[in-house]
PDB file of all heavy atoms in Angstrom:
ATOM      1  N   PRO B  50       2.896  10.008   2.565  1.00  0.00           N
ATOM      2  CA  PRO B  50       3.895   9.907   3.628  1.00  0.00           C
ATOM      3  C   PRO B  50       4.806  11.146   3.582  1.00  0.00           C
ATOM      4  O   PRO B  50       4.991  11.720   2.512  1.00  0.00           O
ATOM      5  CB  PRO B  50       4.694   8.650   3.266  1.00  0.00           C
ATOM      6  CG  PRO B  50       4.157   8.154   1.976  1.00  0.00           C
ATOM      7  CD  PRO B  50       3.182   9.124   1.433  1.00  0.00           C
ATOM      8  N   THR B  51       5.342  11.540   4.740  1.00  0.00           N
ATOM      9  CA  THR B  51       6.184  12.745   4.740  1.00  0.00           C
ATOM     10  C   THR B  51       7.519  12.453   4.070  1.00  0.00           C
ATOM     11  O   THR B  51       8.093  11.379   4.222  1.00  0.00           O
ATOM     12  CB  THR B  51       6.458  13.255   6.168  1.00  0.00           C
ATOM     13  OG1 THR B  51       6.742  12.128   6.997  1.00  0.00           O
ATOM     14  CG2 THR B  51       5.292  14.028   6.726  1.00  0.00           C
ATOM     15  N   GLY B  52       7.956  13.431   3.298  1.00  0.00           N
ATOM     16  CA  GLY B  52       9.303  13.355   2.736  1.00  0.00           C
ATOM     17  C   GLY B  52       9.472  12.513   1.494  1.00  0.00           C
ATOM     18  O   GLY B  52      10.592  12.334   1.035  1.00  0.00           O
ATOM     19  N   VAL B  53       8.377  11.979   0.957  1.00  0.00           N
ATOM     20  CA  VAL B  53       8.491  11.257  -0.313  1.00  0.00           C
ATOM     21  C   VAL B  53       7.325  11.658  -1.218  1.00  0.00           C
ATOM     22  O   VAL B  53       6.278  12.079  -0.729  1.00  0.00           O
ATOM     23  CB  VAL B  53       8.466   9.708  -0.148  1.00  0.00           C
ATOM     24  CG1 VAL B  53       9.554   9.241   0.792  1.00  0.00           C
ATOM     25  CG2 VAL B  53       7.115   9.215   0.311  1.00  0.00           C
ATOM     26  N   SER B  54       7.537  11.573  -2.516  1.00  0.00           N
ATOM     27  CA  SER B  54       6.426  11.795  -3.423  1.00  0.00           C
ATOM     28  C   SER B  54       6.697  11.034  -4.710  1.00  0.00           C
ATOM     29  O   SER B  54       7.846  10.730  -5.029  1.00  0.00           O
ATOM     30  CB  SER B  54       6.205  13.292  -3.660  1.00  0.00           C
ATOM     31  OG  SER B  54       6.724  13.705  -4.869  1.00  0.00           O
ATOM     32  N   GLY B  55       5.627  10.670  -5.407  1.00  0.00           N
ATOM     33  CA  GLY B  55       5.801   9.883  -6.617  1.00  0.00           C
ATOM     34  C   GLY B  55       4.556   9.930  -7.467  1.00  0.00           C
ATOM     35  O   GLY B  55       3.465  10.178  -6.956  1.00  0.00           O
ATOM     36  N   ALA B  56       4.722   9.717  -8.765  1.00  0.00           N
ATOM     37  CA  ALA B  56       3.588   9.711  -9.683  1.00  0.00           C
ATOM     38  C   ALA B  56       3.969   8.942 -10.940  1.00  0.00           C
ATOM     39  O   ALA B  56       5.141   8.920 -11.327  1.00  0.00           O
ATOM     40  CB  ALA B  56       3.187  11.133 -10.043  1.00  0.00           C
ATOM     41  N   PRO B  57       2.978   8.315 -11.566  1.00  0.00           N
ATOM     42  CA  PRO B  57       3.260   7.628 -12.830  1.00  0.00           C
ATOM     43  C   PRO B  57       3.650   8.638 -13.903  1.00  0.00           C
ATOM     44  O   PRO B  57       3.224   9.793 -13.843  1.00  0.00           O
ATOM     45  CB  PRO B  57       1.930   6.963 -13.197  1.00  0.00           C
ATOM     46  CG  PRO B  57       1.034   7.112 -12.022  1.00  0.00           C
ATOM     47  CD  PRO B  57       1.547   8.232 -11.212  1.00  0.00           C
ATOM     48  N   THR B  58       4.442   8.204 -14.875  1.00  0.00           N
ATOM     49  CA  THR B  58       4.768   9.090 -15.993  1.00  0.00           C
ATOM     50  C   THR B  58       3.499   9.304 -16.817  1.00  0.00           C
ATOM     51  O   THR B  58       2.550   8.531 -16.721  1.00  0.00           O
ATOM     52  CB  THR B  58       5.876   8.474 -16.876  1.00  0.00           C
ATOM     53  OG1 THR B  58       5.495   7.133 -17.208  1.00  0.00           O
ATOM     54  CG2 THR B  58       7.206   8.441 -16.154  1.00  0.00           C
ATOM     55  N   ASP B  59       3.511  10.355 -17.636  1.00  0.00           N
ATOM     56  CA  ASP B  59       2.300  10.768 -18.344  1.00  0.00           C
ATOM     57  C   ASP B  59       1.621   9.671 -19.146  1.00  0.00           C
ATOM     58  O   ASP B  59       0.414   9.537 -19.118  1.00  0.00           O
ATOM     59  CB  ASP B  59       2.612  11.943 -19.282  1.00  0.00           C
ATOM     60  CG  ASP B  59       2.691  13.242 -18.492  1.00  0.00           C
ATOM     61  OD1 ASP B  59       2.205  13.248 -17.339  1.00  0.00           O
ATOM     62  OD2 ASP B  59       3.235  14.221 -19.025  1.00  0.00           O
ATOM     63  N   ASN B  60       2.408   8.894 -19.881  1.00  0.00           N
ATOM     64  CA  ASN B  60       1.747   7.954 -20.789  1.00  0.00           C
ATOM     65  C   ASN B  60       1.946   6.492 -20.425  1.00  0.00           C
ATOM     66  O   ASN B  60       1.561   5.611 -21.167  1.00  0.00           O
ATOM     67  CB  ASN B  60       2.221   8.208 -22.227  1.00  0.00           C
ATOM     68  CG  ASN B  60       3.727   8.352 -22.283  1.00  0.00           C
ATOM     69  OD1 ASN B  60       4.416   8.013 -21.308  1.00  0.00           O
ATOM     70  ND2 ASN B  60       4.245   8.834 -23.392  1.00  0.00           N
ATOM     71  N   ASN B  61       2.553   6.219 -19.244  1.00  0.00           N
ATOM     72  CA  ASN B  61       2.776   4.823 -18.885  1.00  0.00           C
ATOM     73  C   ASN B  61       2.727   4.632 -17.374  1.00  0.00           C
ATOM     74  O   ASN B  61       3.642   5.037 -16.657  1.00  0.00           O
ATOM     75  CB  ASN B  61       4.139   4.375 -19.432  1.00  0.00           C
ATOM     76  CG  ASN B  61       4.354   2.886 -19.269  1.00  0.00           C
ATOM     77  OD1 ASN B  61       3.514   2.185 -18.691  1.00  0.00           O
ATOM     78  ND2 ASN B  61       5.471   2.396 -19.765  1.00  0.00           N
ATOM     79  N   ILE B  62       1.674   3.981 -16.921  1.00  0.00           N
ATOM     80  CA  ILE B  62       1.514   3.800 -15.472  1.00  0.00           C
ATOM     81  C   ILE B  62       2.519   2.797 -14.916  1.00  0.00           C
ATOM     82  O   ILE B  62       2.710   2.691 -13.707  1.00  0.00           O
ATOM     83  CB  ILE B  62       0.061   3.385 -15.134  1.00  0.00           C
ATOM     84  CG1 ILE B  62      -0.205   3.636 -13.641  1.00  0.00           C
ATOM     85  CG2 ILE B  62      -0.218   1.953 -15.536  1.00  0.00           C
ATOM     86  CD1 ILE B  62      -1.617   3.508 -13.208  1.00  0.00           C
ATOM     87  N   MET B  63       3.208   2.058 -15.796  1.00  0.00           N
ATOM     88  CA  MET B  63       4.195   1.069 -15.347  1.00  0.00           C
ATOM     89  C   MET B  63       5.544   1.712 -15.018  1.00  0.00           C
ATOM     90  O   MET B  63       6.429   1.048 -14.499  1.00  0.00           O
ATOM     91  CB  MET B  63       4.397  -0.017 -16.418  1.00  0.00           C
ATOM     92  CG  MET B  63       3.125  -0.689 -16.883  1.00  0.00           C
ATOM     93  SD  MET B  63       2.255  -1.538 -15.551  1.00  0.00           S
ATOM     94  CE  MET B  63       3.163  -3.085 -15.524  1.00  0.00           C
ATOM     95  N   ILE B  64       5.715   2.976 -15.373  1.00  0.00           N
ATOM     96  CA  ILE B  64       6.965   3.678 -15.052  1.00  0.00           C
ATOM     97  C   ILE B  64       6.629   4.929 -14.239  1.00  0.00           C
ATOM     98  O   ILE B  64       5.822   5.752 -14.665  1.00  0.00           O
ATOM     99  CB  ILE B  64       7.741   4.061 -16.327  1.00  0.00           C
ATOM    100  CG1 ILE B  64       8.087   2.792 -17.123  1.00  0.00           C
ATOM    101  CG2 ILE B  64       9.019   4.824 -15.976  1.00  0.00           C
ATOM    102  CD1 ILE B  64       8.761   3.052 -18.443  1.00  0.00           C
ATOM    103  N   TRP B  65       7.222   5.022 -13.058  1.00  0.00           N
ATOM    104  CA  TRP B  65       6.947   6.145 -12.165  1.00  0.00           C
ATOM    105  C   TRP B  65       8.213   6.973 -11.936  1.00  0.00           C
ATOM    106  O   TRP B  65       9.323   6.446 -11.992  1.00  0.00           O
ATOM    107  CB  TRP B  65       6.488   5.643 -10.795  1.00  0.00           C
ATOM    108  CG  TRP B  65       5.128   5.037 -10.769  1.00  0.00           C
ATOM    109  CD1 TRP B  65       4.598   4.141 -11.651  1.00  0.00           C
ATOM    110  CD2 TRP B  65       4.122   5.270  -9.776  1.00  0.00           C
ATOM    111  NE1 TRP B  65       3.321   3.802 -11.253  1.00  0.00           N
ATOM    112  CE2 TRP B  65       3.011   4.478 -10.107  1.00  0.00           C
ATOM    113  CE3 TRP B  65       4.057   6.064  -8.625  1.00  0.00           C
ATOM    114  CZ2 TRP B  65       1.840   4.460  -9.343  1.00  0.00           C
ATOM    115  CZ3 TRP B  65       2.902   6.041  -7.869  1.00  0.00           C
ATOM    116  CH2 TRP B  65       1.802   5.250  -8.234  1.00  0.00           C
ATOM    117  N   ASN B  66       7.987   8.254 -11.665  1.00  0.00           N
ATOM    118  CA  ASN B  66       9.063   9.115 -11.186  1.00  0.00           C
ATOM    119  C   ASN B  66       8.769   9.417  -9.726  1.00  0.00           C
ATOM    120  O   ASN B  66       7.614   9.594  -9.338  1.00  0.00           O
ATOM    121  CB  ASN B  66       9.110  10.424 -11.979  1.00  0.00           C
ATOM    122  CG  ASN B  66       9.606  10.201 -13.391  1.00  0.00           C
ATOM    123  OD1 ASN B  66      10.546   9.427 -13.604  1.00  0.00           O
ATOM    124  ND2 ASN B  66       8.975  10.854 -14.355  1.00  0.00           N
ATOM    125  N   ALA B  67       9.827   9.471  -8.931  1.00  0.00           N
ATOM    126  CA  ALA B  67       9.623   9.747  -7.512  1.00  0.00           C
ATOM    127  C   ALA B  67      10.732  10.644  -6.983  1.00  0.00           C
ATOM    128  O   ALA B  67      11.780  10.785  -7.614  1.00  0.00           O
ATOM    129  CB  ALA B  67       9.589   8.441  -6.729  1.00  0.00           C
ATOM    130  N   VAL B  68      10.453  11.260  -5.856  1.00  0.00           N
ATOM    131  CA  VAL B  68      11.450  12.087  -5.179  1.00  0.00           C
ATOM    132  C   VAL B  68      11.460  11.700  -3.708  1.00  0.00           C
ATOM    133  O   VAL B  68      10.408  11.508  -3.096  1.00  0.00           O
ATOM    134  CB  VAL B  68      11.118  13.599  -5.307  1.00  0.00           C
ATOM    135  CG1 VAL B  68      12.154  14.437  -4.552  1.00  0.00           C
ATOM    136  CG2 VAL B  68      11.067  14.034  -6.753  1.00  0.00           C
ATOM    137  N   ILE B  69      12.667  11.545  -3.167  1.00  0.00           N
ATOM    138  CA  ILE B  69      12.802  11.325  -1.728  1.00  0.00           C
ATOM    139  C   ILE B  69      13.597  12.496  -1.169  1.00  0.00           C
ATOM    140  O   ILE B  69      14.667  12.836  -1.683  1.00  0.00           O
ATOM    141  CB  ILE B  69      13.521   9.989  -1.428  1.00  0.00           C
ATOM    142  CG1 ILE B  69      12.638   8.816  -1.863  1.00  0.00           C
ATOM    143  CG2 ILE B  69      13.858   9.883   0.065  1.00  0.00           C
ATOM    144  CD1 ILE B  69      13.255   7.446  -1.653  1.00  0.00           C
ATOM    145  N   PHE B  70      13.038  13.148  -0.155  1.00  0.00           N
ATOM    146  CA  PHE B  70      13.745  14.254   0.484  1.00  0.00           C
ATOM    147  C   PHE B  70      14.636  13.680   1.579  1.00  0.00           C
ATOM    148  O   PHE B  70      14.205  12.805   2.328  1.00  0.00           O
ATOM    149  CB  PHE B  70      12.745  15.263   1.047  1.00  0.00           C
ATOM    150  CG  PHE B  70      11.866  15.856  -0.027  1.00  0.00           C
ATOM    151  CD1 PHE B  70      10.592  15.355  -0.262  1.00  0.00           C
ATOM    152  CD2 PHE B  70      12.340  16.886  -0.837  1.00  0.00           C
ATOM    153  CE1 PHE B  70       9.793  15.870  -1.286  1.00  0.00           C
ATOM    154  CE2 PHE B  70      11.542  17.400  -1.855  1.00  0.00           C
ATOM    155  CZ  PHE B  70      10.272  16.894  -2.084  1.00  0.00           C
ATOM    156  N   GLY B  71      15.862  14.160   1.631  1.00  0.00           N
ATOM    157  CA  GLY B  71      16.803  13.644   2.632  1.00  0.00           C
ATOM    158  C   GLY B  71      16.235  13.805   4.033  1.00  0.00           C
ATOM    159  O   GLY B  71      15.752  14.886   4.380  1.00  0.00           O
ATOM    160  N   PRO B  72      16.246  12.728   4.832  1.00  0.00           N
ATOM    161  CA  PRO B  72      15.652  12.798   6.176  1.00  0.00           C
ATOM    162  C   PRO B  72      16.391  13.797   7.077  1.00  0.00           C
ATOM    163  O   PRO B  72      17.608  13.965   6.950  1.00  0.00           O
ATOM    164  CB  PRO B  72      15.822  11.372   6.718  1.00  0.00           C
ATOM    165  CG  PRO B  72      16.170  10.526   5.548  1.00  0.00           C
ATOM    166  CD  PRO B  72      16.809  11.404   4.537  1.00  0.00           C
ATOM    167  N   HIS B  73      15.616  14.455   7.958  1.00  0.00           N
ATOM    168  CA  HIS B  73      16.198  15.412   8.909  1.00  0.00           C
ATOM    169  C   HIS B  73      17.194  14.712   9.819  1.00  0.00           C
ATOM    170  O   HIS B  73      17.074  13.523  10.079  1.00  0.00           O
ATOM    171  CB  HIS B  73      15.087  16.034   9.771  1.00  0.00           C
ATOM    172  CG  HIS B  73      14.162  16.893   8.977  1.00  0.00           C
ATOM    173  ND1 HIS B  73      14.595  18.011   8.292  1.00  0.00           N
ATOM    174  CD2 HIS B  73      12.830  16.794   8.751  1.00  0.00           C
ATOM    175  CE1 HIS B  73      13.560  18.552   7.676  1.00  0.00           C
ATOM    176  NE2 HIS B  73      12.472  17.833   7.929  1.00  0.00           N
ATOM    177  N   ASP B  74      18.129  15.492  10.319  1.00  0.00           N
ATOM    178  CA  ASP B  74      19.148  14.997  11.259  1.00  0.00           C
ATOM    179  C   ASP B  74      19.986  13.862  10.686  1.00  0.00           C
ATOM    180  O   ASP B  74      20.436  12.971  11.412  1.00  0.00           O
ATOM    181  CB  ASP B  74      18.499  14.551  12.593  1.00  0.00           C
ATOM    182  CG  ASP B  74      17.714  15.693  13.229  1.00  0.00           C
ATOM    183  OD1 ASP B  74      18.215  16.838  13.177  1.00  0.00           O
ATOM    184  OD2 ASP B  74      16.609  15.450  13.756  1.00  0.00           O
ATOM    185  N   THR B  75      20.135  13.863   9.366  1.00  0.00           N
ATOM    186  CA  THR B  75      21.074  12.946   8.723  1.00  0.00           C
ATOM    187  C   THR B  75      21.886  13.804   7.751  1.00  0.00           C
ATOM    188  O   THR B  75      21.444  14.902   7.391  1.00  0.00           O
ATOM    189  CB  THR B  75      20.369  11.836   7.913  1.00  0.00           C
ATOM    190  OG1 THR B  75      19.841  12.392   6.695  1.00  0.00           O
ATOM    191  CG2 THR B  75      19.242  11.171   8.692  1.00  0.00           C
ATOM    192  N   PRO B  76      23.045  13.313   7.309  1.00  0.00           N
ATOM    193  CA  PRO B  76      23.820  14.109   6.332  1.00  0.00           C
ATOM    194  C   PRO B  76      23.060  14.322   5.014  1.00  0.00           C
ATOM    195  O   PRO B  76      23.418  15.200   4.227  1.00  0.00           O
ATOM    196  CB  PRO B  76      25.091  13.293   6.127  1.00  0.00           C
ATOM    197  CG  PRO B  76      24.914  12.008   6.838  1.00  0.00           C
ATOM    198  CD  PRO B  76      23.772  12.138   7.774  1.00  0.00           C
ATOM    199  N   PHE B  77      21.987  13.532   4.788  1.00  0.00           N
ATOM    200  CA  PHE B  77      21.208  13.670   3.547  1.00  0.00           C
ATOM    201  C   PHE B  77      20.171  14.801   3.625  1.00  0.00           C
ATOM    202  O   PHE B  77      19.507  15.097   2.634  1.00  0.00           O
ATOM    203  CB  PHE B  77      20.500  12.350   3.213  1.00  0.00           C
ATOM    204  CG  PHE B  77      21.446  11.251   2.827  1.00  0.00           C
ATOM    205  CD1 PHE B  77      21.918  10.358   3.779  1.00  0.00           C
ATOM    206  CD2 PHE B  77      21.900  11.127   1.521  1.00  0.00           C
ATOM    207  CE1 PHE B  77      22.810   9.351   3.439  1.00  0.00           C
ATOM    208  CE2 PHE B  77      22.789  10.120   1.164  1.00  0.00           C
ATOM    209  CZ  PHE B  77      23.249   9.231   2.126  1.00  0.00           C
ATOM    210  N   GLU B  78      20.026  15.398   4.791  1.00  0.00           N
ATOM    211  CA  GLU B  78      19.038  16.452   5.006  1.00  0.00           C
ATOM    212  C   GLU B  78      19.102  17.509   3.906  1.00  0.00           C
ATOM    213  O   GLU B  78      20.190  17.900   3.492  1.00  0.00           O
ATOM    214  CB  GLU B  78      19.279  17.109   6.379  1.00  0.00           C
ATOM    215  CG  GLU B  78      18.238  18.149   6.730  1.00  0.00           C
ATOM    216  CD  GLU B  78      18.235  18.533   8.212  1.00  0.00           C
ATOM    217  OE1 GLU B  78      19.073  18.004   8.974  1.00  0.00           O
ATOM    218  OE2 GLU B  78      17.395  19.348   8.580  1.00  0.00           O
ATOM    219  N   ASP B  79      17.931  17.942   3.458  1.00  0.00           N
ATOM    220  CA  ASP B  79      17.750  18.961   2.408  1.00  0.00           C
ATOM    221  C   ASP B  79      17.966  18.446   0.987  1.00  0.00           C
ATOM    222  O   ASP B  79      17.647  19.139   0.026  1.00  0.00           O
ATOM    223  CB  ASP B  79      18.655  20.193   2.617  1.00  0.00           C
ATOM    224  CG  ASP B  79      18.346  20.888   3.932  1.00  0.00           C
ATOM    225  OD1 ASP B  79      17.171  20.839   4.353  1.00  0.00           O
ATOM    226  OD2 ASP B  79      19.278  21.460   4.535  1.00  0.00           O
ATOM    227  N   GLY B  80      18.491  17.238   0.826  1.00  0.00           N
ATOM    228  CA  GLY B  80      18.681  16.710  -0.525  1.00  0.00           C
ATOM    229  C   GLY B  80      17.349  16.350  -1.159  1.00  0.00           C
ATOM    230  O   GLY B  80      16.395  15.976  -0.479  1.00  0.00           O
ATOM    231  N   THR B  81      17.265  16.507  -2.479  1.00  0.00           N
ATOM    232  CA  THR B  81      16.065  16.074  -3.214  1.00  0.00           C
ATOM    233  C   THR B  81      16.517  15.023  -4.218  1.00  0.00           C
ATOM    234  O   THR B  81      17.062  15.355  -5.264  1.00  0.00           O
ATOM    235  CB  THR B  81      15.387  17.241  -3.951  1.00  0.00           C
ATOM    236  OG1 THR B  81      16.380  17.900  -4.739  1.00  0.00           O
ATOM    237  CG2 THR B  81      14.777  18.247  -2.992  1.00  0.00           C
ATOM    238  N   PHE B  82      16.295  13.773  -3.877  1.00  0.00           N
ATOM    239  CA  PHE B  82      16.832  12.674  -4.673  1.00  0.00           C
ATOM    240  C   PHE B  82      15.755  12.075  -5.562  1.00  0.00           C
ATOM    241  O   PHE B  82      14.724  11.615  -5.072  1.00  0.00           O
ATOM    242  CB  PHE B  82      17.452  11.627  -3.753  1.00  0.00           C
ATOM    243  CG  PHE B  82      18.502  12.199  -2.849  1.00  0.00           C
ATOM    244  CD1 PHE B  82      18.217  12.474  -1.517  1.00  0.00           C
ATOM    245  CD2 PHE B  82      19.772  12.503  -3.340  1.00  0.00           C
ATOM    246  CE1 PHE B  82      19.183  13.025  -0.686  1.00  0.00           C
ATOM    247  CE2 PHE B  82      20.741  13.055  -2.511  1.00  0.00           C
ATOM    248  CZ  PHE B  82      20.445  13.323  -1.180  1.00  0.00           C
ATOM    249  N   LYS B  83      16.023  12.114  -6.860  1.00  0.00           N
ATOM    250  CA  LYS B  83      15.031  11.610  -7.821  1.00  0.00           C
ATOM    251  C   LYS B  83      15.268  10.134  -8.113  1.00  0.00           C
ATOM    252  O   LYS B  83      16.404   9.677  -8.127  1.00  0.00           O
ATOM    253  CB  LYS B  83      15.114  12.421  -9.114  1.00  0.00           C
ATOM    254  CG  LYS B  83      14.725  13.878  -8.908  1.00  0.00           C
ATOM    255  CD  LYS B  83      14.973  14.704 -10.160  1.00  0.00           C
ATOM    256  CE  LYS B  83      14.927  16.183  -9.843  1.00  0.00           C
ATOM    257  NZ  LYS B  83      16.089  16.610  -9.010  1.00  0.00           N
TER     258      LYS B  83
END
Side-chain angles (χ1 to χ4, degrees):
Chain B
T51 43
V53 304
S54 101
T58 51
D59 281 344
N60 46 14
N61 188 357
I62 198 170
M63 307 299 277
I64 300 176
W65 289 45
N66 289 319
V68 178
I69 293 178
F70 299 98
H73 293 299
D74 303 320
T75 74
F77 292 93
E78 184 164 2
D79 299 329
T81 52
F82 304 102
K83 295 173 195 69

